[in-house]
Amino acid sequence: MKPLLFAFTPDAGICRSIAASLELEPCEFELRTFPDGETYVRLLEPCNDRDAIIICPLQQPNDKLLPLLLLVETLRDLGIHKVGLVTPYLPYMRQDIRFKPGEGVTSRYFSSILNAHFDWLVTVDPHLHRYSTLDEIYTIPNRVVDAAPVAAKWMAAHIENPLLIGPDEESSQWIQKAAANADVPYEVLLKQRSGDYQVDVSELKNDWQGMTPVLLDDIISTGKTMQQTIVSLKRAGLREPVCIGIHGLFADNAYQELIDAGARAVVTTNCIEHLSNKIDVGAEVAAQIRILMDN
Ligand code: R5P
């Protein structure tokens, strides 16, 4: 029997794309908030003796987590076999160390919640900096989609004479893969972050006149990392860049601020639904789901 699909945002591009690539049976459910703020959950179809996939994009996770957990527990209570979670953006990955005494290492606590409730997990490019793989904190079977080759393909098809620029050391994992895939040169800069909105990015070391800079990073949140990188590019006399983010979180007014700062275009994958979505990673997510379902 086909696995059941519970999609929190069924009309989002990535959900449609995943559903189109897999044999799933979409399932209706009701989630609403009582006047006192508590969550009501009801399945509108039987689910016993079936496997299920929940697609729940977990950006802005705090308000989504409890309804998600109440849904998965309802499924288990009503006789579901296995439940996998697909969250194209995996939150709470950046607090991967105690930067200051007394801080919580929330990436670990968040992973322990998901480990306790789900049978498997699929996500796209989690922010792996001090963890070398997701397995260091996720004990359930998991698969990670690598968006860099898809971004490289988009870049090769849409940008003439591209030069990949990584704003910081962490970005070099995506930059190197994308550069190898598209066979283009690259430079990775250095970043110093002193606060949520305070970022410094180093100057370019090489002369790249005549090329089109393409900034690539896993996350655009406040957009300050990309904005400061644009400042460095301007100082080097380069053209206006195209900014590619795998996960466009766009806190506050970050999208417009990037355009105002001089981005020629801001492009994201459809991991997080946004008007900048140009790169569809749904087929790649579906391929990883298939591997876990087959196992
Ligand atoms: C962290 O190093 C990430 O790779 C991104 O560079 C960072 O999250 C971007 O954040 P923001 O847009 O707030 O500068």
Side-chain angles (χ1 to χ4, degrees), residues 24-262:
L24 302 171
E25 189 177 319
C27 220
E28 299 259 337
F29 61 104
E30 187 180 350
L31 267 183
R32 68 178 175 85
T33 308
F34 284 115
D36 60 5
E38 294 180 7
T39 296
Y40 171 87
V41 191
R42 182 178 172 218
L43 300 196
L44 301 175
E45 293 162 50
C47 72
N48 50 312
D49 292 333
R50 307 284 295 270
D51 286 335
I53 297 172
I54 300 180
I55 305 179
C56 182
L58 279 174
Q59 67 279 5
Q60 303 287 338
N62 294 1
D63 289 345
K64 293 178 186 156
L65 185 64
L66 191 56
L68 171 64
L69 297 183
L70 293 171
L71 173 65
V72 69
E73 289 314 306
T74 305
L75 292 177
R76 294 207 187 278
D77 201 16
L78 293 175
I80 208 90
H81 279 161
K82 289 201 166 173
V83 193
L85 173 64
V86 178
T87 178
Y89 175 68
L90 185 62
Y92 282 104
M93 287 298 292
R94 282 175 289 177
Q95 189 78 30
D96 55 3
I97 193 174
R98 207 180 314 284
F99 296 96
K100 293 182 191 155
E103 281 181 354
V105 186
T106 49
S107 52
R108 279 204 244 125
Y109 319 145
F110 189 79
S111 66
S112 69
I113 297 170
L114 297 189
N115 286 332
H117 289 271
F118 291 93
D119 293 295
W120 53 260
L121 170 74
V122 172
T123 191
V124 180
D125 281 319
H127 185 79
L128 293 172
H129 182 195
R130 290 165 193 92
Y131 301 123
S132 51
T133 72
L134 212 49
D135 293 332
E136 285 184 39
I137 49 171
Y138 281 89
T139 52
I140 49 175
N142 61 78
R143 304 288 303 186
V144 166
V145 173
D146 184 3
V150 197
K153 202 167 163 193
W154 183 90
M155 182 182 70
H158 294 89
I159 299 170
E160 246 179 69
N161 210 12
L163 156 72
L164 273 163
I165 300 283
D168 55 24
E169 223 179 301
E170 292 112 286
S171 67
S172 95
Q173 52 188 299
W174 297 284
I175 292 290
Q176 287 185 26
K177 269 185 227 155
N181 269 268
D183 194 19
V184 301
Y186 69 90
E187 183 169 341
V188 175
L189 307 180
L190 295 172
K191 178 173 83 179
Q192 288 276 0
R193 175 158 235 136
S194 48
D196 293 346
Y197 295 88
Q198 288 80 41
V199 169
D200 280 314
V201 174
S202 64
E203 304 295 319
L204 276 90
K205 290 207 176 108
N206 301 298
D207 181 10
W208 301 107
Q209 297 303 321
M211 307 200 75
T212 306
V214 179
L215 309 192
L216 173 63
D217 204 358
D218 61 333
I219 298 172
I220 305 176
S221 177
T222 65
K224 296 298 174 196
T225 299
M226 290 232 174
Q227 278 183 38
Q228 286 307 310
T229 311
I230 293 174
V231 171
S232 295
L233 297 179
K234 279 185 181 164
R235 282 208 201 104
L238 291 183
R239 289 181 188 154
E240 290 184 327
V242 174
C243 296
I244 303 183
I246 295 170
H247 303 288
L249 291 170
F250 299 120
D252 309 322
N253 202 22
Y255 175 72
Q256 189 54 46
E257 284 174 6
L258 262 180
I259 304 279
D260 295 345

